[in-house]
Amino acid sequence: MSACFPLESAGSQPPLGSSTTCGPRVSELTEAGNLAGVQHIILVLSGKGGVGKSTISTELALALRHAGKKVGILDVDLCGPSIPRMLRAQGRAVHQCDGGWVPVYVDQEQSICLMSVGFLLENPDEAVVWRGPKKNDTPPGTSDEHMATVDALRPYGPLGALVVTTPQAVSVGDVRRELTFCRKTGLRVLGVVENMSGFVCPHCAECTSIFSRGGGEELASHAGVPFLGSVPLDPELTKSLEEGRDFIREFPESPAFPALLSIAQKVLIEAPARVP
Amino acid sequence: MEEVPQGCPGTGSAQAGRGASCQGCPNQRLCASGAGAAPDPAIEEIKEKLKTVKHKILVLSGKGGVGKSTFSAHLAHGLAEDENTQVALLDIDICGPSIPKMMGLEGEQVHQSGSGWSPVFLEDNLGVMSVGFLLSSPDDAVIWRGPKKNGMIKQFLRDVDWGEVDYLIVDTPPGTSDEHLSAVQYLSAAHVDGAVIITTPQEVSLQDVRKEISFCHKVKLPIIGVVENMSVFVCPKCKKESQIFPPTTGGAEVLCQDLKIPLLGKVPLDPHIGKSCDKGQSFLIDAPDSPAALAYREIQEFCGLHQPKEEHLISS
């Protein structure tokens, strides 16, 4: 899962101060006011792997940046941290300061910063083999990461969760369970995003529902949460992420662009400026 | 798995039961007597139980959503088309059990008999076991922590009454988590043919495959080979190919060449697959002539006949 932190004001303190170190003390990231400068916290969840959660997090961050916001991304995917590569930040070193770990700024303007366990692995091909309980009090595992993250962020009143699925029933099945998790933990669901929603053949413009259809909307309706939109498949998007490029800036004509922008806009509507 | 005290020297160490931190630990006497160094008895029990299983194949992937469960389900379907082959499919993805849905077995219950848990039989020669069968509602979230998951894996391997089985296919969750370690640990005494690793062509997936391969080496699990899923898309209308998930770093082909691991096959994207899985049917039956079905058949043959070569066994 990842957490997107769109910020209203820069301030001099690092927007994200703490760590997802190899000992997954997710609780450390909320130590001593490190998240005090963060206005809104959005968790991007799925419950199913490979539906494009990191993609959506990254694109949401880029879209929010284009809307003039400062954004932090916390990638707590302990076993497969993809986000550094998506923002051309792989191999960057992280430093510690008195306030905690300093997140990595991925752009010159310092409008997007990122903290990922991917930065803490010496060898990118290294397997992160977790077995818990180990030296820490938070056992690893997908469900454990979720619980630990939600518990750690709860005092900061997260805006809510964006839940990502693909259209087919098998994804929807897993994501239904994730929505239950949100309900059980009192996490508000901002809405469902359906990713990989069809592919338009570049040769003949025929649209094919490669991963079945309709699942996202049905799921949102069944769970009584908003449906935020469908993002179609676009090889340019996949390539952009591989190369760490800014898809929002470079491919405004892509069929995925309007969908991504619309999702970002809906998030912004939900996030009124906090009264200081 | 009990809570270990801070500074526990480890149950297998010479200091077991003797260290300062051992004071007050419920296992202290056990460790001091040297019994802590003994392996989990379940490992032997599982070996005995699985003696009637001829071939065991683990299906792994580093990354989620690459089609691992789809592959496991269809490998099982394909092998079971021969009525004389007994096939078993075990879904140990405790938090995201997709197999019941894909096999059209949602809502089925497992039963206990004198000889253990009975798998759900899709056909006379195809039995399925999944934690999904233990959830009372499809909305139920499975929020378990490590030791409980570990216990579930142990139960599945030790207490399920599989009977005489030619192939046991184990569908794992993605990554290198507790579930993997548990499965490999418990199967370590019984001969595991090896692992099939599933990937898609893009680097973000291959990155995780390299980690998965590294995991296999670390735990001495032989690798049967790699399957590249979602390779190309052939438009059903104009029949032209598109690369939806471009292999920017050469895809599985280059990875396999570099790491000297067999590439078992490349499966194209095919809307029939998703449709069949949604209906809980085998797309090998629904769309037997599709390029994807043909690719699966070739891979299945390889898994059916394969004996892992020496160089893919214990290494590093």
Side-chain angles (χ1 to χ4, degrees):
Chain A
M1 77 194 298
S2 36
C4 231
F5 301 72
L7 313 171
E8 291 294 348
S9 55
S12 53
Q13 69 185 121
L16 275 177
S18 213
S19 70
T20 53
T21 58
C22 292
R25 281 186 185 271
V26 182
S27 53
E28 277 178 15
L29 56 72
T30 54
E31 252 162 43
N34 275 330
L35 283 176
V38 175
Q39 294 253 354
H40 304 292
I41 299 174
I42 300 157
L43 279 82
V44 182
L45 308 175
S46 176
K48 174 107 191 82
V51 296
K53 188 186 30 57
S54 299
T55 302
I56 296 292
S57 295
T58 304
E59 297 307 326
L60 179 61
L62 292 168
L64 290 169
R65 175 175 71 178
H66 283 287
K69 303 301 176 197
K70 288 191 177 291
V71 188
I73 308 178
L74 176 61
D75 176 10
V76 292
D77 189 345
L78 292 169
C79 295
S82 334
I83 296 190
R85 190 184 184 91
M86 291 179 175
L87 291 167
R88 223 180 253 171
Q90 68 270 40
R92 298 275 292 273
V94 285
H95 309 283
Q96 265 188 310
C97 69
D98 288 340
W101 293 84
V102 182
V104 170
Y105 283 103
V106 304
D107 59 341
Q108 288 223 319
E109 303 83 27
Q110 297 201 336
S111 45
I112 297 187
C113 63
L114 167 66
M115 185 60 203
S116 167
V117 76
F119 295 138
L120 304 173
L121 294 173
E122 278 176 18
N123 176 352
D125 291 340
E126 209 177 281
V128 183
V129 181
W130 301 104
R131 184 126 235 192
K134 240 180 1 184
K135 298 160 195 122
N136 338 284
D137 47 351
T138 323
T142 313
S143 50
D144 302 324
E145 287 166 33
H146 282 186
M147 278 165 79
T149 307
V150 171
D151 285 343
L153 292 173
R154 199 189 301 280
Y156 297 88
L159 188 62
L162 209 92
V163 178
V164 185
T165 185
T166 50
Q168 76 264 56
V170 146
S171 293
V172 166
D174 282 348
V175 180
R176 276 167 87 170
R177 290 188 261 269
E178 191 69 11
L179 287 168
T180 304
F181 166 81
C182 292
R183 205 172 49 245
K184 279 191 176 162
T185 50
L187 185 60
R188 178 182 163 213
V189 176
L190 294 171
V192 171
V193 171
E194 183 185 88
N195 205 12
M196 307 201 201
S197 230
F199 176 66
V200 178
C201 175
H203 308 284
C204 70
E206 168 88 350
C207 183
T208 308
S209 304
I210 299 186
F211 297 113
S212 209
R213 62 190 309 168
E217 233 167 315
E218 231 176 84
L219 174 67
S221 151
H222 167 90
V225 299
F227 180 63
L228 297 179
S230 307
V231 183
L233 284 158
D234 181 357
E236 293 298 346
L237 176 58
T238 319
K239 253 194 269 176
S240 272
L241 291 159
E242 296 254 301
E243 294 160 11
R245 302 204 327 253
D246 184 344
F247 176 79
I248 301 288
R249 180 162 37 204
E250 297 179 29
F251 295 99
E253 272 136 37
S254 151
F257 183 83
L260 290 167
L261 221 58
S262 152
I263 291 163
Q265 272 159 9
K266 289 184 181 147
V267 166
L268 283 169
I269 290 171
E270 293 293 330
R274 290 246 177 110
V275 178
Chain B
M1 242 198 247
E2 294 90 12
E3 289 296 324
V4 294
Q6 275 227 331
C8 166
T11 54
S13 99
Q15 282 305 304
R18 296 179 175 65
S21 9
C22 300
Q23 295 297 328
C25 172
N27 278 341
Q28 187 186 10
R29 209 191 290 172
L30 201 60
C31 286
S33 72
D40 186 342
I43 293 179
E44 275 305 305
E45 288 170 336
I46 288 168
K47 178 185 178 180
E48 277 307 306
K49 195 73 177 218
L50 294 178
K51 262 196 167 132
T52 53
V53 177
K54 290 206 190 91
H55 298 286
K56 299 160 206 76
I57 298 173
L58 267 66
V59 183
L60 309 178
S61 73
K63 181 137 191 61
V66 296
K68 185 178 37 54
S69 299
T70 307
F71 176 81
S72 302
H74 287 87
L75 182 61
H77 273 304
L79 290 168
E81 278 172 18
D82 175 5
E83 292 168 351
N84 299 317
T85 306
Q86 283 293 328
V87 182
L89 176 59
L90 172 61
D91 175 15
I92 58 167
D93 190 349
I94 303 273
C95 297
S98 316
I99 295 287
K101 175 95 208 164
M102 285 186 182
M103 304 294 276
L105 295 172
E106 241 185 353
E108 291 284 339
Q109 304 280 308
V110 289
H111 306 282
Q112 265 190 311
S113 73
S115 44
W117 293 42
S118 306
V120 175
F121 282 92
L122 181 63
E123 312 279 350
D124 286 340
N125 67 333
L126 176 51
V128 181
M129 180 51 105
S130 165
V131 74
F133 296 140
L134 304 175
L135 297 171
S136 45
S137 148
D139 290 327
D140 279 356
V142 184
I143 311 177
W144 291 349
R145 291 187 180 264
K148 199 163 172 188
K149 291 188 211 173
N150 207 12
M152 178 58 60
I153 309 290
K154 207 194 288 203
Q155 261 200 295
F156 274 164
L157 292 171
R158 186 189 57 197
D159 299 342
V160 175
D161 185 21
W162 295 106
E164 298 277 341
V165 169
D166 293 296
Y167 294 96
L168 171 65
I169 296 157
V170 184
D171 186 39
T172 62
T176 48
S177 62
D178 268 6
E179 288 94 286
H180 285 113
L181 290 172
S182 297
V184 177
Q185 183 191 0
Y186 292 125
L187 290 167
S188 58
H191 172 67
V192 177
D193 291 49
V196 175
I197 305 179
I198 313 291
T199 183
T200 50
Q202 73 266 53
E203 175 56 26
V204 81
S205 176
L206 298 176
Q207 213 173 274
D208 286 351
V209 172
R210 290 189 200 99
K211 290 181 183 149
E212 196 68 16
I213 291 173
S214 162
F215 164 78
C216 290
H217 290 330
K218 264 193 184 137
V219 301
K220 301 187 185 353
L221 175 61
I223 297 172
I224 298 172
V226 171
V227 171
E228 184 183 88
N229 229 356
M230 309 197 200
S231 245
V232 286
F233 172 67
V234 179
C235 178
K237 189 169 178 210
C238 70
K239 310 297 179 206
K240 295 217 172 97
E241 279 188 8
S242 298
Q243 290 270 10
I244 296 187
F245 301 111
T248 50
T249 55
E253 211 162 324
V254 169
L255 178 142
C256 288
Q257 267 166 23
D258 287 346
L259 299 177
K260 302 194 182 13
I261 286 175
L263 176 64
L264 302 178
K266 288 154 80 154
V267 184
L269 276 160
D270 185 338
H272 289 114
I273 302 179
K275 263 196 223 130
S276 296
C277 285
D278 275 5
K279 288 191 267 177
Q281 289 168 197
S282 166
F283 97 96
L284 298 172
I285 307 284
D286 291 348
D289 300 320
S290 66
L294 299 173
Y296 261 90
R297 294 282 184 208
E298 275 183 29
I299 295 167
Q300 177 194 313
E301 261 190 50
F302 196 95
C303 290
L305 303 170
H306 180 82
Q307 289 303 319
K309 295 200 185 87
E310 278 308 311
E311 66 258 29
H312 300 305
L313 291 172
I314 298 163
S315 68
S316 75

